């Protein structure tokens, strides 16, 4: 674009992204490819840059919205640069349609939220299951300890082994 904000060069990549042919855009304002809600900010920024020479987005990569020929808006990434030839000011921009990247990011955010919810539910289930198992385990241990104290000597070796295994398993589960 020139210093007045009019399009002076339009390549095949821009044509593919925006849908306009060079004939449809050359000499027209850059605002043609911007959604209406960005146009005023663009005009103020262009005026400020021409007056002060202080860049705000020049030399940076920013995310904005673009406007397809059919009027639909889409997310884009813009890297903008400027230069002078004599007294004339010019701008060039590298534009990337980031629709797919945004969609993937949104899907990842949704999946991450679902995963967090699932983890929360799993932790709650584990807590309830653990809590609900404590009382029966205490009963097994308490009655096992009583059985061992009162009848342990009467058991044959295999019976004492079974009783010890049962008490050890109950302790491990707690």
């Amino acid at each position: 674009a020139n210093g007045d904000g009019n399009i002076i060069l339009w390549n095949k990549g821009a044509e593919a992204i925006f849908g306009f042919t060079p004939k449809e855009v050359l000499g027209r304002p850059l605002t043609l490819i911007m959604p209406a809600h960005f146009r005023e900010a663009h005009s103020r920024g262009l005026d400020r840059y021409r007056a002060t020479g202080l860049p705000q987005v020049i030399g940076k990569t920013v995310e904005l919205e673009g406007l397809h020929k059919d009027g639909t808006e889409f997310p884009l990434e813009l890297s903008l640069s400027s230069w002078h030839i004599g007294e004339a000011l010019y701008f060039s921009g590298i534009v990337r349609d980031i629709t797919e990247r945004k969609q993937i990011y949104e899907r990842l955010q949704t999946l991450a939220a679902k995963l967090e919810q699932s983890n929360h539910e799993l932790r709650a289930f584990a807590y309830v299951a653990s809590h609900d198992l404590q009382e029966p385990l205490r009963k097994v241990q308490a009655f096992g300890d009583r059985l061992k104290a009162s009848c342990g000597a009467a058991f044959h070796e295999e019976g004492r082994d079974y009783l010890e295994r049962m008490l050890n398993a109950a302790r491990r589960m707690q």
Side-chain angles (χ1 to χ4, degrees):
N2 62 19
D4 293 328
N6 293 323
I7 300 168
I8 59 171
L9 181 64
W10 193 255
N11 64 24
K12 293 285 184 191
E15 187 174 347
I17 290 173
F18 292 96
F20 291 99
T21 64
K23 188 176 182 178
E24 295 171 305
V25 297
L26 291 178
R28 307 250 336 253
L30 193 55
T31 54
L32 174 71
I33 60 172
M34 292 178 193
H37 59 273
F38 281 109
R39 293 175 184 164
E40 188 179 322
H42 165 74
S43 294
R44 283 194 318 266
L46 183 58
D47 290 344
R48 183 178 45 252
Y49 183 71
R50 283 189 299 230
T52 66
L54 298 173
Q56 202 157 12
V57 294
I58 295 173
K60 299 176 184 171
T61 300
V62 294
E63 287 187 15
L64 300 169
E65 297 285 323
L67 192 63
H68 287 294
K69 182 179 178 179
D70 67 7
T72 58
E73 295 181 18
F74 67 99
L76 64 82
E77 189 175 79
L78 171 67
S79 299
L80 191 62
S81 61
S82 69
W83 71 93
H84 287 85
I85 298 177
E87 294 296 315
L89 173 63
Y90 297 93
F91 299 94
S92 66
I94 298 171
V95 175
R96 288 172 208 83
D97 182 338
I98 57 172
T99 301
E100 187 176 346
R101 182 191 325 167
K102 289 283 197 175
Q103 290 169 344
I104 290 169
Y105 180 75
E106 288 172 11
R107 279 192 298 242
L108 285 174
Q109 291 293 95
T110 300
L111 289 173
K114 286 181 180 178
L115 181 60
E116 182 59 36
Q117 178 63 31
S118 178
N119 284 342
H120 175 72
E121 290 169 4
L122 186 58
R123 283 191 297 272
F125 172 76
Y127 173 80
V128 169
S130 172
H131 184 266
D132 288 351
L133 285 175
Q134 291 301 312
E135 182 58 27
L137 282 174
R138 282 192 288 275
K139 293 276 191 222
V140 168
Q141 253 187 318
F143 286 114
D145 287 339
R146 285 183 183 174
L147 188 60
K148 183 179 176 182
S150 63
C151 305
F155 288 137
H156 52 75
E157 189 176 325
E158 189 177 25
R160 284 192 300 273
D161 181 51
Y162 290 159
L163 183 59
E164 279 303 316
R165 286 183 186 193
M166 178 186 73
L167 289 170
N168 287 337
R171 278 191 285 277
R172 281 194 312 274
M173 284 185 75
Q174 270 190 318

